[in-house]
Amino acid sequence: MAGICQRWQEPQQYLDNGKTPASDTDWFGKTTRTGFIQQYNLSLSGSGEHSNSFFSVGYYKNKGIIRQTDFERFSFRINNEYKIINDIVTIGEHFTGNRTSEVQDPGILQNVLQYPSIIPVYDIDGEYAGPHGGYTSYQNPVARLDRNKDNRYTYWRLFGDAYININPFKNFNIKSTFGIDYAQKKQRIFQYPITEGTAANTTNSVEAKQEHWMRWMWNAVASYNFEIKKHRFDALLGVELNRETSDYFSAVGYDYPVFDTDYMWPETGTGVPKVYGGGDGFSLVSFFAKANYAYADRYLASVTVRHDGSSRFGKNNRYGTFPSFSAGWRISEEKFMKNVTWLDNLKIRVSWGKTGNQQIANTARYSLYKSTMGTITDAGSSYDTAYDIAGNNSGNLSSGFKRIQRGNDDLKWETTTQTNIGFDFEVLKNTLYGSFEWYNKKTTDILVDMPAIAIAGEGAHQFINAGTVLNRGVEFTLGWRGEKKGFRWDLTGNLGHYYNEIQSLPETLVSNGTFGGNATNPIIGHAYGSQVGYVFDGIFQNQAEVDNHAQQAQAAVGRMRFKDLDGDGKITDKDQTWIYDPTPKCSFGLNVYLQYKNFDFTMFWQGEVGRDVITKDLKLETDLWAGTNVPNLNKGTRLLDAWTPNNPTSLIPALTSTPVGLESAMSSYYVENGSYAKLRTIQFGYNLPKNALKKIFLSRLRFYLSAQNVLTIKSGKFSGVDPENAGYGYPIPLNVTFGLNASF
C-alpha cells in the first residue's frame, strides 16, 4: 500500500488558549485527557425584615473547552410570603428570572480528528490553510470555529408562581396556585464564505430567528387531616390545568456584499430571501385525590387516583385513569421486637401503581399536509406536489399539497404499571443503615411513530400505540455513620442491577431495527437498543487458514476473520448474532462525608460494570485505513500497529487503500468493555469559627475548594477516550472551583 500513516493529532490547537490539559491515568494503564474550563461564579443573597422574604442574584461565566465557545448567565430570585387575617390567609410568590448567552460548539470534534495533520492551520500568507490536490474538501477546523463565533444566542426565561392558602378552621386547608414559565430565544446564524483550498464555497447567508415558549399552570387543592387516638388520617382533593404553547419565526437572507454583523440582516442581502414560521401547543387537565392512613406509626397505607386528559390524544381516548397504592409495616414498633436491642428501625413496604405518558408530538393525532412548489428537474421529472399535465417539462409548476403524516383519533395514553417491594433498616444505635428494593415495571401501549409500507402512499406513517417493554431490577443501599471525639463520618454506598426486555412490537418496527436487531434477528426478547453483528475471530495468519475457513467475501492473509455460526460453510447474514447489550450488569455509587471540627470533606464516586459500548464510528478511522471510504483523512496512531507478517499478533487488519469485505460491517470487533468508575466530585470546606465571625459581623462564612470529573478508571480493553462518550462526544472537563458562602 502506498501512502503515509499520519499521526492522529490531538486537538489541542483547537482548544482555548491557556487551558492546560489534565491527565487522568486509570488503574489499568489508560489515560483520559480532559481540560480545564475557566469559569466565574458569583452569587449574593439575603432576607428582608419579614422572616419569609428572600432574594438572591447570581452571575456565572464559563469559557468553553472548544475555542470561541462560552456560556454566560445572569439570574435573580425573589420569594415572599405574608400572613393576613389572623393567620387564616397566607399569600406568597416565588419568582425567578435568568438571561443566558452562549456560543455553542458547532460539532467540531470529528472534523478536528479527521482533518489531515499534514495541512497547517495557516498558510505562508497568514491566511487559513486548506486542502489541495487529492485531499478531501474538509473545512479547516480553526477557520470553522472562527466563522462560528458570531452565532451567539440570547435566552430569557421568567418563571414563578403566586399562591393563596386559606386555613378556615383547624386541620383544613385550601391552596390555589397560579404559575407561569415564559422563555424566548433570539439568534442570528451566520454562514460566511469558506475561503480555504478546495473546500472554498462562496455561499453566504444569515438567519434571524425568534422562538417563544409559554406555559401556565393553575391548581386548587383542598386537604384535611385529623387524629382519633392512635389513628391518623389525611386526605386531599385537587384539580390542575396546564397549557403550553410555542412558536418561532425566522427569515433568511443570502448573498451579502459586506460581511459585517452590524450590516448582515435578512433585508440587506442581495439574494432572494426566505421566511419560515410555525407554532403549536397542548393542554392538560388533571383531577386527583389522595388519602393516607397511619396507625401508631406502625401500619401505613396510602391510595392515590389521577384522571388526566390531554389534547394530544383524539376524542376517543383523551382521558386516562391512573390509580396507585402503597403500604408499610414498621416491624420495629411491634411489642415482640422491644427486646431486640440491636435493631433500631425496620420497615417493610410495598407499592403498586399506574402512570401515564403523553410525550408525543402535539400534532400526533392529526393528518398533516404541506404546501410546496413542484419543480421540473434536468431529467424532466417533478418530485413534489404538482404534475405538468401539458407536458412542457419546464419552469415551476403550480403549488399543491402533499400529505406528510396520517392522523389517528384512536391514540391513547401510554401506561406504565409498576410494583415495588422493599425494606429499610437501622441497627447498632442507628450507625448502620440501609435499604433494599425490588421493582417490576411494565410499559404497554407505547407511543411510536409507525412507518408505512410504500404502497400506502406518501406520508402514510402515523403515531400508534404498540409494543410492550419490561424493566425489572434491584437496588441495595448500605451506610455507616457516627461521631467520635469531634470527628463525624457518613459513608453510603449503593448497588443496582436492572433487566430490560422488549416483549412486543409491530412487525415493521421489528424488521427495520428501529429499536435494535434486524429482520433476521428480531429484537423481541432482548434489551432496547441491543445490536446484532458478526463475531470477530481474529486475523487470517496464512493462506492455509484462508483456504480452510468458511467462504468469506475477500478473505485474505492479514484480513479480519468471522465465525461461521450456522455451519453452512459460508459467512452470510445468518451468521450474525447478538453482540451488544446496552444494559450494564451492575451500577454503583459511593458518597463519603467526613468532618473534623470546622473542616469537612465530601467525595462522590459513580460507575458501571459489565457495560458494552460501540466504538465503530471511531475505529473505522483509527483501525481501518479505508474504513470511512474517504481518502486522505487523518488517521489514528493505532494503525501503526496494524498486522504485517512481522507483526502477526496484532488484531488490527493489514493496511489497505480500499474497503475489504465485511470489515466495515457491524461486528464484535467494534464492541468493547465500557465499564468505568468516576470520581465525579470532591470537595474540601472550612467554616470560620463563631468567635471570629462576631468580629466581622457575619453569622456564617464558609470557604470551599471543589473539583468535578477528577478521575476516570476504565477497562484496559477500551480503546476510546471516555466510556460515556465512546464516539465524538463533547470533552468532559476537569472543573475546579474555589468559593465562599457568607451569611449576615
Tab-separated table of all heavy atoms in Angstrom, residues 133-170:
chain	number	residue	atom	x	y	z
A	133	GLY	N	-5.158	19.497	-4.044
A	133	GLY	CA	-4.835	18.252	-4.725
A	133	GLY	C	-5.835	17.164	-4.409
A	133	GLY	O	-7.044	17.351	-4.501
A	134	GLY	N	-5.338	15.996	-3.977
A	134	GLY	CA	-6.198	14.850	-3.740
A	134	GLY	C	-6.842	14.823	-2.377
A	134	GLY	O	-7.582	13.883	-2.066
A	135	TYR	N	-6.581	15.836	-1.539
A	135	TYR	CA	-7.163	15.828	-0.201
A	135	TYR	C	-8.651	16.170	-0.246
A	135	TYR	O	-9.088	17.027	-1.019
A	135	TYR	CB	-6.435	16.805	0.716
A	135	TYR	CG	-5.086	16.298	1.162
A	135	TYR	CD1	-3.923	16.716	0.525
A	135	TYR	CD2	-4.986	15.384	2.200
A	135	TYR	CE1	-2.688	16.239	0.922
A	135	TYR	CE2	-3.763	14.897	2.607
A	135	TYR	CZ	-2.610	15.329	1.961
A	135	TYR	OH	-1.396	14.837	2.353
A	136	THR	N	-9.422	15.482	0.586
A	136	THR	CA	-10.866	15.708	0.649
A	136	THR	C	-11.148	17.131	1.105
A	136	THR	O	-10.430	17.700	1.935
A	136	THR	CB	-11.502	14.712	1.633
A	136	THR	OG1	-11.168	13.388	1.217
A	136	THR	CG2	-13.009	14.859	1.649
A	137	SER	N	-12.216	17.692	0.567
A	137	SER	CA	-12.535	19.105	0.819
A	137	SER	C	-13.161	19.304	2.198
A	137	SER	O	-14.346	19.665	2.324
A	137	SER	CB	-13.468	19.625	-0.278
A	137	SER	OG	-12.848	19.546	-1.533
A	138	TYR	N	-12.373	19.048	3.237
A	138	TYR	CA	-12.819	19.277	4.605
A	138	TYR	C	-12.422	20.687	5.040
A	138	TYR	O	-11.350	21.180	4.689
A	138	TYR	CB	-12.188	18.260	5.551
A	138	TYR	CG	-12.973	16.972	5.675
A	138	TYR	CD1	-13.546	16.369	4.558
A	138	TYR	CD2	-13.146	16.346	6.904
A	138	TYR	CE1	-14.260	15.193	4.658
A	138	TYR	CE2	-13.858	15.154	7.012
A	138	TYR	CZ	-14.412	14.588	5.882
A	138	TYR	OH	-15.120	13.426	5.986
A	139	GLN	N	-13.300	21.309	5.846
A	139	GLN	CA	-13.005	22.654	6.320
A	139	GLN	C	-11.872	22.643	7.347
A	139	GLN	O	-11.760	21.719	8.160
A	139	GLN	CB	-14.236	23.283	6.963
A	139	GLN	CG	-15.379	23.576	6.024
A	139	GLN	CD	-16.508	24.305	6.736
A	139	GLN	OE1	-16.286	25.295	7.456
A	139	GLN	NE2	-17.728	23.832	6.543
A	140	ASN	N	-11.071	23.682	7.329
A	140	ASN	CA	-10.069	23.919	8.362
A	140	ASN	C	-10.816	24.115	9.694
A	140	ASN	O	-11.641	25.025	9.814
A	140	ASN	CB	-9.276	25.180	7.998
A	140	ASN	CG	-8.195	25.507	8.997
A	140	ASN	OD1	-8.386	25.384	10.193
A	140	ASN	ND2	-7.061	25.961	8.500
A	141	PRO	N	-10.573	23.275	10.698
A	141	PRO	CA	-11.352	23.371	11.946
A	141	PRO	C	-11.222	24.716	12.657
A	141	PRO	O	-12.205	25.220	13.209
A	141	PRO	CB	-10.785	22.234	12.801
A	141	PRO	CG	-10.198	21.274	11.829
A	141	PRO	CD	-9.666	22.115	10.714
A	142	VAL	N	-10.025	25.303	12.649
A	142	VAL	CA	-9.858	26.597	13.317
A	142	VAL	C	-10.646	27.664	12.575
A	142	VAL	O	-11.303	28.519	13.182
A	142	VAL	CB	-8.372	26.974	13.412
A	142	VAL	CG1	-8.217	28.359	14.029
A	142	VAL	CG2	-7.623	25.958	14.263
A	143	ALA	N	-10.618	27.614	11.236
A	143	ALA	CA	-11.389	28.577	10.451
A	143	ALA	C	-12.883	28.388	10.690
A	143	ALA	O	-13.650	29.357	10.773
A	143	ALA	CB	-11.065	28.405	8.973
A	144	ARG	N	-13.294	27.137	10.811
A	144	ARG	CA	-14.709	26.859	11.045
A	144	ARG	C	-15.163	27.416	12.382
A	144	ARG	O	-16.258	27.987	12.493
A	144	ARG	CB	-14.933	25.351	10.987
A	144	ARG	CG	-16.383	24.941	11.077
A	144	ARG	CD	-16.518	23.444	10.974
A	144	ARG	NE	-17.858	23.001	11.315
A	144	ARG	CZ	-18.181	21.767	11.617
A	144	ARG	NH1	-17.236	20.824	11.622
A	144	ARG	NH2	-19.412	21.442	11.924
A	145	LEU	N	-14.326	27.290	13.401
A	145	LEU	CA	-14.667	27.864	14.706
A	145	LEU	C	-14.698	29.380	14.647
A	145	LEU	O	-15.527	30.025	15.302
A	145	LEU	CB	-13.662	27.389	15.758
A	145	LEU	CG	-13.770	25.924	16.176
A	145	LEU	CD1	-12.590	25.532	17.053
A	145	LEU	CD2	-15.078	25.655	16.895
A	146	ASP	N	-13.808	29.964	13.867
A	146	ASP	CA	-13.788	31.415	13.722
A	146	ASP	C	-15.059	31.903	13.029
A	146	ASP	O	-15.619	32.941	13.390
A	146	ASP	CB	-12.549	31.831	12.929
A	146	ASP	CG	-12.321	33.328	12.966
A	146	ASP	OD1	-12.429	33.918	14.062
A	146	ASP	OD2	-12.053	33.915	11.899
A	147	ARG	N	-15.519	31.144	12.043
A	147	ARG	CA	-16.744	31.528	11.337
A	147	ARG	C	-17.981	31.307	12.211
A	147	ARG	O	-19.048	31.853	11.925
A	147	ARG	CB	-16.874	30.731	10.030
A	147	ARG	CG	-15.897	31.169	8.945
A	147	ARG	CD	-16.220	30.505	7.611
A	147	ARG	NE	-15.815	29.111	7.591
A	147	ARG	CZ	-14.646	28.664	7.152
A	147	ARG	NH1	-13.729	29.525	6.719
A	147	ARG	NH2	-14.366	27.382	7.145
A	148	ASN	N	-17.850	30.508	13.261
A	148	ASN	CA	-18.978	30.212	14.136
A	148	ASN	C	-19.103	31.180	15.305
A	148	ASN	O	-20.122	31.199	15.992
A	148	ASN	CB	-18.832	28.778	14.670
A	148	ASN	CG	-19.965	28.360	15.593
A	148	ASN	OD1	-21.098	28.190	15.158
A	148	ASN	ND2	-19.662	28.216	16.877
A	149	LYS	N	-18.078	31.996	15.547
A	149	LYS	CA	-18.018	32.775	16.787
A	149	LYS	C	-19.130	33.802	16.924
A	149	LYS	O	-19.440	34.248	18.044
A	149	LYS	CB	-16.657	33.468	16.903
A	149	LYS	CG	-16.406	34.596	15.928
A	149	LYS	CD	-15.043	35.229	16.167
A	149	LYS	CE	-14.800	36.442	15.280
A	149	LYS	NZ	-14.831	36.100	13.842
A	150	ASP	N	-19.765	34.204	15.827
A	150	ASP	CA	-20.840	35.198	15.899
A	150	ASP	C	-22.217	34.562	16.050
A	150	ASP	O	-23.216	35.275	16.170
A	150	ASP	CB	-20.832	36.075	14.642
A	150	ASP	CG	-19.566	36.917	14.537
A	150	ASP	OD1	-19.104	37.409	15.581
A	150	ASP	OD2	-19.041	37.054	13.414
A	151	ASN	N	-22.281	33.238	16.042
A	151	ASN	CA	-23.576	32.549	16.128
A	151	ASN	C	-24.027	32.422	17.581
A	151	ASN	O	-24.302	31.333	18.086
A	151	ASN	CB	-23.494	31.176	15.467
A	151	ASN	CG	-23.310	31.268	13.974
A	151	ASN	OD1	-23.675	32.265	13.363
A	151	ASN	ND2	-22.726	30.253	13.376
A	152	ARG	N	-24.108	33.530	18.235
A	152	ARG	CA	-24.491	33.579	19.648
A	152	ARG	C	-26.001	33.675	19.783
A	152	ARG	O	-26.660	34.387	19.034
A	152	ARG	CB	-23.832	34.780	20.317
A	152	ARG	CG	-24.206	34.968	21.796
A	152	ARG	CD	-23.488	36.160	22.394
A	152	ARG	NE	-22.048	35.957	22.361
A	152	ARG	CZ	-21.373	35.248	23.260
A	152	ARG	NH1	-22.018	34.686	24.275
A	152	ARG	NH2	-20.069	35.102	23.156
A	153	TYR	N	-26.542	32.946	20.755
A	153	TYR	CA	-27.965	33.106	21.050
A	153	TYR	C	-28.118	33.766	22.411
A	153	TYR	O	-27.255	33.673	23.286
A	153	TYR	CB	-28.702	31.767	21.010
A	153	TYR	CG	-28.471	30.862	22.208
A	153	TYR	CD1	-29.095	31.102	23.434
A	153	TYR	CD2	-27.633	29.758	22.117
A	153	TYR	CE1	-28.894	30.275	24.527
A	153	TYR	CE2	-27.425	28.921	23.211
A	153	TYR	CZ	-28.059	29.191	24.405
A	153	TYR	OH	-27.850	28.384	25.489
A	154	THR	N	-29.229	34.436	22.594
A	154	THR	CA	-29.599	35.033	23.879
A	154	THR	C	-30.951	34.465	24.292
A	154	THR	O	-31.891	34.446	23.492
A	154	THR	CB	-29.690	36.563	23.782
A	154	THR	OG1	-28.432	37.078	23.331
A	154	THR	CG2	-30.017	37.170	25.138
A	155	TYR	N	-31.027	33.998	25.525
A	155	TYR	CA	-32.203	33.286	26.003
A	155	TYR	C	-32.660	33.905	27.321
A	155	TYR	O	-31.877	34.014	28.268
A	155	TYR	CB	-31.844	31.807	26.179
A	155	TYR	CG	-32.914	30.918	26.759
A	155	TYR	CD1	-33.878	30.344	25.954
A	155	TYR	CD2	-32.932	30.612	28.124
A	155	TYR	CE1	-34.846	29.493	26.478
A	155	TYR	CE2	-33.896	29.767	28.658
A	155	TYR	CZ	-34.844	29.213	27.822
A	155	TYR	OH	-35.790	28.378	28.346
A	156	TRP	N	-33.911	34.331	27.351
A	156	TRP	CA	-34.516	34.866	28.567
A	156	TRP	C	-35.552	33.873	29.090
A	156	TRP	O	-36.334	33.325	28.311
A	156	TRP	CB	-35.217	36.190	28.294
A	156	TRP	CG	-34.301	37.370	28.147
A	156	TRP	CD1	-33.714	37.822	27.009
A	156	TRP	CD2	-33.888	38.255	29.191
A	156	TRP	NE1	-32.957	38.937	27.259
A	156	TRP	CE2	-33.043	39.231	28.605
A	156	TRP	CE3	-34.145	38.319	30.558
A	156	TRP	CZ2	-32.461	40.246	29.339
A	156	TRP	CZ3	-33.565	39.339	31.297
A	156	TRP	CH2	-32.730	40.288	30.686
A	157	ARG	N	-35.552	33.664	30.391
A	157	ARG	CA	-36.566	32.803	30.991
A	157	ARG	C	-37.055	33.433	32.280
A	157	ARG	O	-36.261	33.795	33.153
A	157	ARG	CB	-36.014	31.410	31.276
A	157	ARG	CG	-37.092	30.446	31.780
A	157	ARG	CD	-36.537	29.091	32.121
A	157	ARG	NE	-37.588	28.166	32.560
A	157	ARG	CZ	-37.361	27.040	33.218
A	157	ARG	NH1	-36.118	26.677	33.499
A	157	ARG	NH2	-38.356	26.275	33.583
A	158	LEU	N	-38.373	33.559	32.407
A	158	LEU	CA	-39.016	34.085	33.604
A	158	LEU	C	-40.039	33.056	34.061
A	158	LEU	O	-40.926	32.665	33.288
A	158	LEU	CB	-39.718	35.414	33.308
A	158	LEU	CG	-38.835	36.535	32.731
A	158	LEU	CD1	-39.702	37.717	32.324
A	158	LEU	CD2	-37.791	36.970	33.744
A	159	PHE	N	-39.907	32.590	35.279
A	159	PHE	CA	-40.863	31.604	35.762
A	159	PHE	C	-41.091	31.780	37.262
A	159	PHE	O	-40.209	32.249	37.993
A	159	PHE	CB	-40.412	30.179	35.442
A	159	PHE	CG	-39.093	29.780	36.040
A	159	PHE	CD1	-39.030	29.056	37.221
A	159	PHE	CD2	-37.899	30.122	35.419
A	159	PHE	CE1	-37.816	28.680	37.764
A	159	PHE	CE2	-36.685	29.748	35.951
A	159	PHE	CZ	-36.632	29.031	37.126
A	160	GLY	N	-42.277	31.408	37.678
A	160	GLY	CA	-42.615	31.543	39.091
A	160	GLY	C	-44.090	31.291	39.307
A	160	GLY	O	-44.829	30.906	38.397
A	161	ASP	N	-44.510	31.506	40.531
A	161	ASP	CA	-45.906	31.266	40.863
A	161	ASP	C	-46.337	32.181	41.992
A	161	ASP	O	-45.510	32.680	42.765
A	161	ASP	CB	-46.133	29.804	41.250
A	161	ASP	CG	-45.381	29.405	42.506
A	161	ASP	OD1	-45.804	29.798	43.612
A	161	ASP	OD2	-44.349	28.714	42.386
A	162	ALA	N	-47.628	32.395	42.076
A	162	ALA	CA	-48.248	33.106	43.194
A	162	ALA	C	-49.314	32.197	43.777
A	162	ALA	O	-49.981	31.457	43.038
A	162	ALA	CB	-48.865	34.418	42.716
A	163	TYR	N	-49.468	32.224	45.092
A	163	TYR	CA	-50.399	31.288	45.715
A	163	TYR	C	-51.143	31.958	46.862
A	163	TYR	O	-50.710	32.971	47.427
A	163	TYR	CB	-49.664	30.055	46.229
A	163	TYR	CG	-48.596	30.343	47.271
A	163	TYR	CD1	-48.912	30.380	48.630
A	163	TYR	CD2	-47.281	30.593	46.899
A	163	TYR	CE1	-47.960	30.643	49.581
A	163	TYR	CE2	-46.306	30.857	47.833
A	163	TYR	CZ	-46.641	30.890	49.182
A	163	TYR	OH	-45.680	31.169	50.122
A	164	ILE	N	-52.269	31.372	47.167
A	164	ILE	CA	-53.051	31.776	48.334
A	164	ILE	C	-53.446	30.512	49.088
A	164	ILE	O	-53.869	29.523	48.478
A	164	ILE	CB	-54.301	32.595	47.935
A	164	ILE	CG1	-55.087	32.989	49.197
A	164	ILE	CG2	-55.176	31.842	46.938
A	164	ILE	CD1	-56.198	33.995	48.898
A	165	ASN	N	-53.253	30.552	50.382
A	165	ASN	CA	-53.567	29.406	51.232
A	165	ASN	C	-54.557	29.863	52.302
A	165	ASN	O	-54.306	30.833	53.023
A	165	ASN	CB	-52.302	28.859	51.886
A	165	ASN	CG	-52.543	27.528	52.566
A	165	ASN	OD1	-52.472	26.482	51.935
A	165	ASN	ND2	-52.827	27.563	53.866
A	166	ILE	N	-55.689	29.172	52.382
A	166	ILE	CA	-56.740	29.540	53.327
A	166	ILE	C	-56.916	28.402	54.323
A	166	ILE	O	-57.099	27.243	53.932
A	166	ILE	CB	-58.067	29.810	52.602
A	166	ILE	CG1	-57.876	30.905	51.545
A	166	ILE	CG2	-59.155	30.210	53.590
A	166	ILE	CD1	-59.095	31.129	50.680
A	167	ASN	N	-56.823	28.760	55.597
A	167	ASN	CA	-56.980	27.782	56.677
A	167	ASN	C	-58.175	28.211	57.541
A	167	ASN	O	-58.018	28.797	58.612
A	167	ASN	CB	-55.691	27.749	57.490
A	167	ASN	CG	-55.705	26.734	58.608
A	167	ASN	OD1	-55.048	26.906	59.616
A	167	ASN	ND2	-56.457	25.651	58.455
A	168	PRO	N	-59.410	27.949	57.050
A	168	PRO	CA	-60.603	28.472	57.740
A	168	PRO	C	-60.830	27.868	59.113
A	168	PRO	O	-61.395	28.516	59.997
A	168	PRO	CB	-61.748	28.124	56.781
A	168	PRO	CG	-61.237	26.950	55.993
A	168	PRO	CD	-59.756	27.171	55.872
A	169	PHE	N	-60.431	26.630	59.306
A	169	PHE	CA	-60.536	26.019	60.628
A	169	PHE	C	-59.451	24.959	60.751
A	169	PHE	O	-58.782	24.595	59.776
A	169	PHE	CB	-61.930	25.430	60.885
A	169	PHE	CG	-62.402	24.466	59.848
A	169	PHE	CD1	-62.077	23.115	59.907
A	169	PHE	CD2	-63.180	24.921	58.783
A	169	PHE	CE1	-62.521	22.234	58.953
A	169	PHE	CE2	-63.628	24.029	57.818
A	169	PHE	CZ	-63.301	22.685	57.895
A	170	LYS	N	-59.260	24.477	61.934
A	170	LYS	CA	-58.158	23.586	62.245
A	170	LYS	C	-58.135	22.371	61.321
A	170	LYS	O	-59.160	21.736	61.087
A	170	LYS	CB	-58.252	23.145	63.706
A	170	LYS	CG	-57.077	22.296	64.163
A	170	LYS	CD	-57.215	21.906	65.630
A	170	LYS	CE	-56.038	21.039	66.072
A	170	LYS	NZ	-56.170	20.631	67.499
